């Protein structure tokens, strides 16, 4: 079974939701047959690459919150994160464009390191004092290397704005086609969708339902016209 | 879109079928949005690991063919392979147990090198004089390194019979559940199946049909109970 998770590194509920999903997955009896793929979604795609802003300033400016409201929201997120065992700095974080992070996540997918890298990006953005947005490319290379990627390869992707750009946009187009206008957005076997950082129980229910469905209705429509040139237990067909 | 290909390295029609599928894929307008995953299938799972036998001897012994019949079959396969631009040694090849090769293909999948490794295994088994079965583990390590895998990691998998063994068996169970009793077996988006080394045109038709279907009916059933803690263009929900 395959679970696709659309998310953004700048999305606190994605950070919390991933932990809740993983809690459900760890307890799921068929966890070894579940493959997780992370897909790109930008909450703030129009923000310029160098435009880095403190999170609280962004919240008050962009959504017209008072500073106290913005801080209360961050405190709530911090408490939700703590309940999942996650560190969360509710003051002092930066907000910025995440396109380059998504491009690196696609490189990591190709190299079998995506789950490692997204975990490291979340930790860096939500739990660490150093900004993932304000320190330039070498900070991202450092995190990519920590995930097991090759430094030169990561540098090459960051130096070429076209690298994996189409892959990021294809993910975002798919999210829109699937009706997602917010993240996290979980899709199980392209059959069931879960929106938001739901409690682990909801993910357990979704995993169970998708699994049962899969086992019950395993069939694919055959499209080949006639006899096949194939090999089986009785040898290979001779055409 | 996702295409899963069940195959065995010891299966000549898988070698030919992969080339025909790839011909169709290269010409497919949405090729950049098609992900290919290789899945394990053993044609001869009960063969002991060290039991290596010349292909022609195996064909005459196992299927009761005359030597001329067996050679004619191999010659036909060689001609079909040549028509796809593939080298094929129709005499002198070995047959053996492929479980370890499948285990390495699962390691390669995790490291983003599966397509490279399966291509190298096919070439080694069908086109090269050296046997992939008779030379022991270091021959396989050498091929894994050529695919970009780490030698020590490949050695570690070969030294531990449990490594990726469940992953191989899970693939084989799924093939059985999907009704495949021979390979190659292609499954597009878990919706359409193609059995055998069909002409490229059949793969083109299947790709087109699965793509159109996907675009037409992009919807997933929502399973969450109520309001979601999520982030969207208007900020993050406060629960």
């Amino acid at each position: 079974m395959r679970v696709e998770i659309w998310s953004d590194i700048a999305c606190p509920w994605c950070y919390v939701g991933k932990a809740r999903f993983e809690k459900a997955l760890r307890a799921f009896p068929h966890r070894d047959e579940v493959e997780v793929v992370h897909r790109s979604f930008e909450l703030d795609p129009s923000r310029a690459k160098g435009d880095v802003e403190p999170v609280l300033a962004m919240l008050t400016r962009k959504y017209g919150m008072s500073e106290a409201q913005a801080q209360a929201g961050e405190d709530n997120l911090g408490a939700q994160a703590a309940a999942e065992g996650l560190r969360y700095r509710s003051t002092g974080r930066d907000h910025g464009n995440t396109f380059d992070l998504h491009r690196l996540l696609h490189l990591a997918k190709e190299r079998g390191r995506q789950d490692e890298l997204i975990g490291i990006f979340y930790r860096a953005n939500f739990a660490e004092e150093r900004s993932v947005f304000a320190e330039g490319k070498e900070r991202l290379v450092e995190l990519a290397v920590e995930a097991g990627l090759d430094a030169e390869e990561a540098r090459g992707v960051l130096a070429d704005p076209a690298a994996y750009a189409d892959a990021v946009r294809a993910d975002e187009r798919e999210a829109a086609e699937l009706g997602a206008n917010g993240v996290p957005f979980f899709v199980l076997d392209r059959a069931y969708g879960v929106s938001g950082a739901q409690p682990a129980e909801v993910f357990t229910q979704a995993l169970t339902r998708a699994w049962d469905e899969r086992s019950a209705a395993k069939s694919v429509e055959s499209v080949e016209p006639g006899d096949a040139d194939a090999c089986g237990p009785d040898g290979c067909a001779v055409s």
Side-chain angles (χ1 to χ4, degrees), chain A:
Chain A
M1 188 159 68
R2 191 186 204 209
V3 179
E4 295 163 285
I5 310 178
W6 273 265
S7 55
D8 194 3
I9 301 302
C11 158
W13 285 122
C14 298
Y15 180 49
V16 173
K18 180 172 184 281
R20 292 180 181 167
F21 169 75
E22 285 171 354
K23 191 198 279 180
L25 185 61
R26 273 194 301 276
F28 186 59
H30 310 287
R31 60 185 168 275
D32 292 340
E33 295 178 58
V34 175
E35 180 191 6
V36 175
V37 180
H38 298 282
R39 301 232 174 261
S40 304
F41 191 102
E42 293 166 280
L43 285 172
D44 197 0
S46 61
R47 174 175 292 265
K49 213 160 147 178
D51 184 6
V52 181
E53 187 179 13
V55 164
L56 288 176
M58 180 274 288
L59 291 173
T60 53
R61 185 187 55 74
K62 195 166 169 186
Y63 303 118
M65 297 179 179
S66 72
E67 228 172 276
Q69 283 173 322
Q71 186 59 60
E74 282 296 288
D75 289 344
N76 172 53
L77 281 160
Q80 303 276 357
E84 302 304 327
L86 299 170
R87 284 179 297 156
Y88 188 95
R89 293 177 69 230
S90 41
T91 51
R93 286 194 306 109
D94 275 343
H95 181 70
N97 182 294
T98 55
F99 196 68
D100 280 351
L101 286 80
H102 286 296
R103 295 196 299 119
L104 285 175
L105 284 165
H106 278 276
L107 166 67
K109 177 163 177 278
E110 284 201 0
R111 297 290 169 261
R113 300 290 183 182
Q114 196 187 38
D115 209 57
E116 287 83 350
L117 186 60
I118 199 166
I120 288 167
F121 277 165
Y122 278 136
R123 186 206 68 206
N125 187 42
F126 291 111
E128 290 183 9
E129 247 179 86
R130 291 175 61 191
S131 172
V132 292
F133 301 112
E135 290 190 29
K137 290 175 185 172
E138 278 308 301
R139 170 69 169 143
L140 300 183
V141 171
E142 198 179 289
L143 296 169
V145 167
E146 189 184 334
L149 293 175
D150 179 75
E152 275 317 300
E153 199 168 33
R155 242 173 236 130
V157 166
L158 291 172
D160 173 11
Y164 299 107
D166 286 349
V168 174
R169 291 195 193 104
D171 279 358
E172 296 181 330
R173 206 163 46 238
E174 277 207 306
E177 286 166 358
L178 288 163
N181 43 31
V183 280
F185 181 59
F186 302 76
V187 175
L188 293 81
D189 259 352
R190 287 286 163 128
Y192 295 103
V194 178
S195 280
Q198 300 287 340
E201 295 69 35
V202 173
F203 291 117
T204 299
Q205 184 199 331
L207 285 165
T208 306
R209 192 156 153 192
W211 182 269
D212 291 348
E213 177 86 5
R214 184 185 185 90
S215 309
K218 275 229 178 167
S219 75
V220 290
E221 190 182 337
S222 172
V223 301
E224 72 267 11
D227 279 355
D229 284 335
C231 301
D234 300 326
C236 298
V238 180
S239 59

